[in-house]
Amino acid sequence: MKQKLFFLFALLNLAFLANCSSSDDQLEQRPQPKTIEHLRKVTLSPDLKFGATALTAVVVSDPAQGNTEHNYLVVQDKIAKAAIVLELTNAVRYKVGEVVEINLEGATLQEVDGEKIVKNISGVNVKVTGEQLQVAPIAVDLSTLKKEVPYWGPILVVLDDLQVDTQDQTTWQGSRQVSDGIATAALEVRKEAQFADQPIVKKLATLAAIARMDEKGVRLMPRSLEDMTLKISELKEDFEQSSSSSYDVKSLLFRTGEWIIDGGITAATDADPKNGAQSIRLQGHVSNELRKGILSMNFDLDEPVQTLKIHHGIYPAKAEVNNENPTLLSVEISMDQGATYHSIGEIEVDTKSKELKVSEFKIEEHKQGKMRFRVVNISQPFENGNRPRVNIDDIIFGF
């Protein structure tokens, strides 16, 4: 009997020791990554659980702005190109730039819709260190981003010169395509975002955003309206900043740059059609080299112009109003800093209207690079050699 009890006790003891050994092995096998970069390389498995860690990272998402999912916190390595989403089990109360120490003990790593997410982690295990670090976004193009973001994770990036497919929407809320001319990606603004109801634009000079992944590809999620630098879509010259009463050729500095008025003045009388305080009254003379009747830019626009609008009207003197010949302006473009020009169209000025009219010209799509414009009075002159006087105001360049 004693012998049977001894053997039974021995078997129980061996079973207990084996169980303890198995538990110890499981604990020893729990990954303990030291950096976000190491964390992203952990092999996923259904029974994966992390051991204790003390890795540090920087908060790059902005929970207060609302353009990340509820209880999601995006953190990025302080040095390496690596970031991860933490799905916290409690409220997210962190600020952009806060350095945090993360203890992953007991947490898991799962792939959700193509994106790796740390789950089952409490805010207690994500402690603010008191250090602040503003992470500089990685400058990248969309083609490169699509290749790298599966390895980098939800990293903070900046992209330049993007076209936005507004889908005829008036606000940022929703998902839409953006393009850099080569590749496209989705730009996403959640309805909970503080800036979701702000007016949308068709062009962005720069976009800073967290590059997220899902099964469809890259999602760009700006943190705030400040992350989206609007591209100037129009530039207006209103000819208000300088003045001259001499018809002889001269250069005047206006808001867009230096303009040459050859055979014209800045006109501010009650008779002159104008927007604002004054306009350019352009005349010209067939044989006076100081009065050719040309209004021209003495500078280039670096960005290709797509449309050009010119406001124009007749100076209401008897000779101009009763002129039987058409009053004509030639609108011309130069691609070589003003060395040569060619016409993109003509304007026939309405001699019976007291108001300024507007003419619009579309610039050929192949016109790329620096460009400048001029307006030439090509009207048939009167007997004295002077051409009809024309008022020109508000020239608007559309990009």
Side-chain angles (χ1 to χ4, degrees):
M1 182 67 178
K2 289 182 178 180
Q3 190 175 11
K4 290 182 179 179
L5 289 173
F6 174 78
F7 280 117
L8 181 59
F9 178 77
L11 287 171
L12 290 172
N13 190 45
L14 286 172
F16 174 76
L17 291 173
N19 185 59
C20 288
S21 177
S22 176
S23 297
D24 289 342
D25 288 342
Q26 289 178 5
L27 289 173
E28 289 175 5
Q29 291 172 3
R30 288 187 173 188
Q32 295 176 292
K34 298 185 182 301
T35 66
I36 298 295
E37 189 173 25
H38 294 157
L39 170 58
R40 291 200 59 80
K41 295 178 180 179
V42 171
T43 302
L44 301 181
S45 65
D47 57 351
L48 171 66
K49 282 192 177 181
F50 290 104
T53 64
L55 57 85
T56 57
V58 186
V59 175
V60 290
S61 59
D62 190 348
Q65 286 290 325
N67 204 31
T68 47
E69 294 88 336
H70 181 63
N71 283 1
Y72 273 29
L73 185 70
V74 183
V75 295
Q76 185 169 321
D77 195 283
K78 294 171 70 174
I79 301 173
K81 295 177 181 177
I84 200 79
V85 175
L86 307 178
E87 184 180 2
L88 302 182
T89 57
N90 50 359
V92 177
R93 295 189 178 91
Y94 300 89
K95 297 179 181 178
V96 175
E98 288 184 328
V99 176
V100 293
E101 183 179 277
I102 305 169
N103 181 5
L104 294 171
E105 186 171 14
T108 62
L109 183 63
Q110 299 178 21
E111 187 169 292
V112 180
D113 295 331
E115 183 176 52
K116 289 182 177 179
I117 298 177
V118 174
K119 290 178 169 285
N120 195 34
I121 182 170
S122 168
V124 175
N125 287 12
V126 183
K127 296 181 179 179
V128 177
T129 66
E131 181 185 357
Q132 290 281 334
L133 181 63
Q134 294 303 317
V135 175
I138 299 170
V140 68
D141 58 72
L142 285 175
S143 297
T144 303
L145 183 61
K146 286 186 171 184
K147 295 176 184 176
E148 300 293 348
V149 78
Y151 307 102
W152 291 346
I155 204 159
L156 184 64
V157 298
V158 62
L159 302 109
D160 295 329
D161 197 14
L162 296 177
Q163 298 280 340
V164 181
D165 182 3
T166 62
Q167 301 171 343
D168 295 326
Q169 299 300 306
T170 58
T171 67
W172 283 109
Q173 180 180 326
S175 179
R176 58 201 35 86
Q177 293 291 305
V178 293
S179 170
D180 60 6
I182 299 174
T184 61
L187 187 153
E188 186 173 312
V189 176
R190 295 166 56 81
K191 65 180 181 180
E192 296 85 359
Q194 295 292 315
F195 55 98
D197 61 349
Q198 293 301 303
I200 196 171
V201 297
K202 294 183 178 181
K203 296 182 181 181
L204 291 172
T206 60
L207 169 66
I210 295 173
R212 304 277 300 278
M213 276 293 297
D214 62 22
E215 293 176 340
K216 296 180 181 179
V218 176
R219 292 184 297 152
L220 298 169
M221 302 190 73
R223 299 166 299 174
S224 66
L225 198 62
E226 287 69 31
D227 277 348
M228 298 184 284
T229 305
L230 308 187
K231 189 164 187 159
I232 297 174
S233 58
E234 286 189 345
L235 178 65
K236 182 174 77 171
E237 178 52 73
D238 57 11
F239 301 108
E240 297 288 335
Q241 279 66 35
S242 299
S243 62
S244 174
S245 58
S246 171
Y247 276 93
D248 288 349
V249 62
K250 66 274 183 181
S251 296
L252 294 180
L253 188 63
F254 295 107
R255 62 181 297 182
T256 57
E258 186 178 71
W259 289 71
I260 300 172
I261 306 176
D262 188 346
I265 63 172
T266 55
T269 72
D270 290 341
D272 287 283
K274 54 189 175 295
N275 295 325
Q278 64 182 25
S279 59
I280 303 297
R281 189 196 302 164
L282 190 65
Q283 186 177 47
H285 191 280
V286 291
S287 60
N288 190 335
E289 289 299 311
L290 298 178
R291 299 184 179 187
K292 295 179 180 178
I294 303 174
L295 172 64
S296 59
M297 299 164 59
N298 200 27
F299 61 95
D300 288 312
L301 295 172
D302 293 332
E303 187 173 352
V305 176
Q306 296 184 24
T307 60
L308 180 67
K309 296 178 183 178
I310 300 175
H311 291 74
H312 52 83
I314 194 70
Y315 179 68
K318 183 179 294 186
E320 278 76 7
V321 173
N322 296 329
N323 186 15
E324 294 181 355
N325 296 311
T327 301
L328 299 174
L329 300 174
S330 175
V331 181
E332 302 175 356
I333 184 173
S334 173
M335 304 293 292
D336 53 10
Q337 290 75 54
T340 61
Y341 284 88
H342 73 267
S343 177
I344 59 172
E346 293 183 359
I347 297 171
E348 182 172 352
V349 180
D350 186 349
T351 58
K352 305 305 179 185
S353 175
K354 296 181 180 180
E355 306 294 332
L356 290 173
K357 299 291 183 70
V358 60
S359 295
E360 181 173 356
F361 301 87
K362 290 186 178 180
I363 312 304
E364 297 174 24
E365 290 184 1
H366 70 270
K367 300 294 185 188
Q368 298 294 319
K370 294 183 178 182
M371 55 182 67
R372 64 177 66 183
F373 298 88
R374 72 180 185 181
V375 181
V376 184
N377 191 343
I378 59 171
S379 307
Q380 183 173 328
F382 299 119
E383 290 183 359
N384 61 5
N386 285 328
R387 299 185 190 277
R389 289 166 287 185
V390 176
N391 289 83
I392 299 171
D393 208 350
D394 290 6
I395 295 180
I396 302 172
F397 307 97
F399 303 105

